[in-house]
Amino acid sequence: MKRLLWLLPVVVLAPLAWAAFAPLEPASRDELFEIPKGTYARRMAGDKVEILPDTIHLTLGLNDQLLLRNHDEVPQQFGPVLIMPGQSFRLPFEVASTYSFACSAHASGQMSVVVAPNPAAGWPRLQWRWQHWKNVYKTETVA
Amino acid sequence: MKRRALLLASLPLPALAATERLKAGVFEPAQAAPEFALKGSDGAALSLARFKGKLVLLVFGFTHCPEVCPTTLATLAQARKQLGPEAADVQVVYVTVDPERDDINRIRQYLTAFDPSFIGGTDTPDTLAAMRKRYGVVAEKIAPKQGNAYGMNHSTSVWLIDRSGKLQAMMPYGHPAKDFVHDLRLLLAAK
């Protein structure tokens, strides 16, 4: 048993090293938000339906395309644009910055998109992966 | 492999190029841009149908705007210059969100300083509000801190309407002229 102890640091450090240095390869660069069918009817019935948050966080090279899709049967103001039924709007970002849009769908009248630079290898990438896994875990737990 | 090549060959390539590689945000599928009927700064009626066959860059703003409108209009003027002869097929339309202060003469003088080909539009507050609603454009008065010089909070993007009158894309504020040139060339090529 004692002879195998030297393996312990390897077992711990190898995944950390992978998480810090392995390239990030997303399956899709779209950050998708969808308006489900019946949203207008729910709003008319008094339901408070909020789909887009006030601030959306994106990362260059990973999820740097905002994709908004309207599945409802009426046009919907979705962020900065009016989207027709069955229509999508895909907005790419190429520069890390904070973008503000006037938006009547938010109580504040504004929506922000914060685009972060692609995380460099090492500590920033490790932090990004950790945050990403936390979000995935949270989403799956809620679902 | 052969089948995939055949499939690619059967795709409407100009349309694909125009929608997949734009720097602007793209509507999928593109639909007819809402028609409008305003008073034009050139003295003629201003409607979308008037520019069929041209690309229309639609901007909403006001002539007292301290930063966003001058920046956007200067960028569009620069983009038209960089386009060269192709600029003849590009029409910038600037619709006021402040009809109280922006009459036809003021809009004309304001736009001429950027590019004499730009055409502005105004009308009654109700007509302009109805048009903004159809485009999902926001505009609201900001009360002055002192005096009467109020400001306007308004959508700052540029709407890109293709030669057939379809609303293809929306370019957010802040993109440089070269991004407009890039997208306009793609849209001009997609006949």
Side-chain angles (χ1 to χ4, degrees), chain B residues 35-90:
Chain B
E35 183 54 283
F36 50 84
L38 308 174
K39 294 168 189 156
S41 62
D42 59 347
L46 183 63
S47 67
L48 199 53
R50 186 177 149 188
F51 305 113
K52 202 156 189 179
K54 285 189 174 191
L55 285 185
V56 173
L57 300 179
L58 183 61
V59 188
F60 294 84
F62 65 116
T63 62
H64 287 78
C65 182
E67 190 184 333
V68 170
C69 293
T71 305
T72 301
L73 292 169
T75 302
L76 296 181
Q78 203 184 340
R80 281 191 85 254
K81 272 187 193 149
Q82 288 175 19
L83 270 177
E86 289 176 284
D89 281 347
V90 176

Side-chain angles (χ1 to χ4, degrees), chain A residues 60 64 89-101 113 115, chain B residues 21-26 57 68-79 82 156-160 169-184:
Chain A
L60 284 184
D64 52 9
F89 179 73
R90 178 179 273 110
L91 180 58
F93 293 89
E94 293 181 350
V95 179
S97 185
T98 297
Y99 301 82
S100 295
F101 299 97
V113 179
V115 182
Chain B
R21 294 188 221 145
L22 294 187
K23 305 274 183 190
V26 174
L57 300 179
V68 170
C69 293
T71 305
T72 301
L73 292 169
T75 302
L76 296 181
Q78 203 184 340
Q82 288 175 19
T156 55
S157 304
V158 178
W159 277 256
L160 282 70
M170 185 210 79
M171 185 78 89
Y173 174 68
H175 278 262
K178 69 177 172 59
D179 286 356
F180 280 95
V181 172
H182 171 271
D183 285 7
L184 291 171

Side-chain angles (χ1 to χ4, degrees), chain A residues 11 36 49 51 58 71 82 95 97 103 111 118 121 123 127 132-133:
Chain A
V11 170
V49 185
I51 295 156
L58 304 179
H71 291 295
L82 185 70
V95 179
S97 185
C103 170
M111 188 193 96
N118 193 302
W123 180 244
Q127 270 184 313
H132 177 68
W133 288 332

